[in-house]
Amino acid sequence: MSLLRVTHIAKAFDGFRALDDVSFEVDAGEMVALIGPNGAGKSTCFNVLNGQLRPDAGSIVFDGGEISGQAPRAIWRKGVARTFQIAASFAALSAIENVQLALASRERELRRWWMPIASMHREEALALLERVGMAAMAEQTCGELAYGDVKRVELALALASRPRLLLMDEPTAGMSSAERTSLMVLVKQLVAEQRVAALFTEHSMDAVFGFADRVIVMARGKVIATGAPDAIRRDAKVGEVYFGVGSLMEEMRDEMRDEAPR
């Protein structure tokens, strides 16, 4: 049975169908890209999956249990973590303090006002920063870090909850090509080693076609194709809706092949 099963999800805003009968599955140990043009419904889909929006219809089953319509914190505690397009960390706190805060939240310790965050879960926080390649900069504030490094800290924050499903919204946004590759290699390793499922949105096609095990394509609130990256590259409908037609589509496909890591 799939770790995440989304069935016939619908969501409308003032009559506009942002999600229209959306269904897909994600397995443990699988890295799945959710792509589509602007306005396709990707962000709405993520917001429904992690509880920020309640779907109008449909079912979301995670690890055998229905989570549709539950609060974000309840879904998070079940093992669904999310990173955002704009990194969500406390700029005035150090990298390790940010992770310690996430660990304290996981353990329901935030109300222990008499315990300074700096003394809580330090070893585990350092281990998480080591895992994402940020241990050497643990004491720097997030406001001082390069944007790519902040995104790594955000990944450590997500991993602090010991997730089974990782939702990543534009994880490489604002990164250089080298930073994108480095982060995606790291996520791929985490997925393989810890059997975490990862569902991510991306506008960077080298990240999508270089690292996804499977690609789901959305347009106008609907899933129009799903399959292995090579099959999606060859899909004529995806080419028309997402890439355009004719020589431009071929040019973009060639570019993606050139950029994809070997």
Side-chain angles (χ1 to χ4, degrees):
M1 182 175 63
S2 296
L3 181 64
L4 175 69
R5 187 170 70 252
V6 177
T7 310
H8 305 305
I9 287 294
K11 183 65 183 179
F13 301 98
D14 296 326
F16 171 73
R17 292 184 179 182
L19 298 176
D20 188 0
D21 196 29
V22 170
S23 298
F24 60 85
E25 298 183 359
V26 181
D27 294 332
E30 186 179 30
M31 195 162 174
V32 179
L34 180 65
I35 68 172
N38 290 334
K42 305 183 300 294
S43 293
T44 301
C45 185
F46 263 42
N47 289 337
V48 166
L49 290 177
N50 86 318
Q52 290 183 293
L53 291 174
R54 181 182 293 271
D56 299 329
S59 171
I60 304 171
V61 176
F62 173 70
D63 197 20
E66 180 69 44
I67 62 171
S68 176
Q70 294 186 12
R73 178 167 289 274
I75 294 174
W76 174 70
R77 291 205 176 278
K78 291 179 187 294
V80 180
R82 180 176 179 180
T83 67
F84 293 84
Q85 181 176 357
I86 300 175
S89 61
F90 293 101
L93 297 181
S94 67
I96 191 169
E97 287 170 337
N98 269 277
V99 180
Q100 286 174 293
L101 191 62
L103 292 169
S105 178
R106 184 194 73 195
E107 300 299 327
R108 304 176 188 268
E109 297 170 339
L110 292 182
R111 293 186 179 181
R112 297 183 181 181
W113 53 268
W114 63 90
M115 294 181 64
I117 288 295
S119 68
M120 302 170 71
H121 307 290
R122 184 173 177 84
E123 288 187 7
E124 186 176 359
L126 277 173
L128 285 168
L129 289 173
E130 178 71 35
R131 190 69 185 85
V132 301
M134 287 297 296
M137 290 176 274
E139 301 300 338
Q140 289 186 242
T141 66
C142 283
E144 297 172 327
L145 295 174
Y147 189 71
D149 291 333
V150 175
K151 298 286 276 190
R152 286 176 174 269
V153 173
E154 188 185 32
L155 179 57
L157 298 180
L159 295 176
S161 66
R162 297 173 183 162
R164 297 190 61 201
L165 172 63
L166 186 59
L167 303 175
M168 299 185 297
D169 192 357
E170 299 283 349
T172 69
M175 289 185 172
S176 67
S177 178
E179 288 174 328
R180 286 200 305 270
T181 299
S182 178
L183 183 69
M184 296 306 287
V185 166
L186 172 61
V187 174
K188 190 79 170 179
Q189 290 173 343
L190 290 168
V191 168
E193 294 170 5
Q194 300 184 14
R195 297 291 295 168
V196 175
L199 178 66
F200 68 100
T201 66
E202 260 299 340
H203 283 294
S204 171
M205 292 297 100
D206 56 324
V208 170
F209 288 95
F211 293 96
D213 299 308
R214 192 158 49 88
V215 180
I216 300 167
V217 186
M218 292 186 66
R220 298 182 180 179
K222 291 180 176 290
V223 172
I224 63 168
T226 182
D230 283 345
I232 294 299
R233 276 197 181 110
R234 296 190 299 266
D235 191 294
K237 186 175 182 180
V238 173
E240 291 178 10
V241 171
Y242 191 83
F243 299 112
V245 295
S247 60
L248 178 60
M249 183 177 73
E250 294 302 323
E251 182 179 320
M252 292 183 72
R253 285 176 172 171
D254 291 341
E255 181 181 346
M256 286 186 291
R257 290 192 190 99
D258 293 339
E259 290 182 350
R262 301 297 193 271

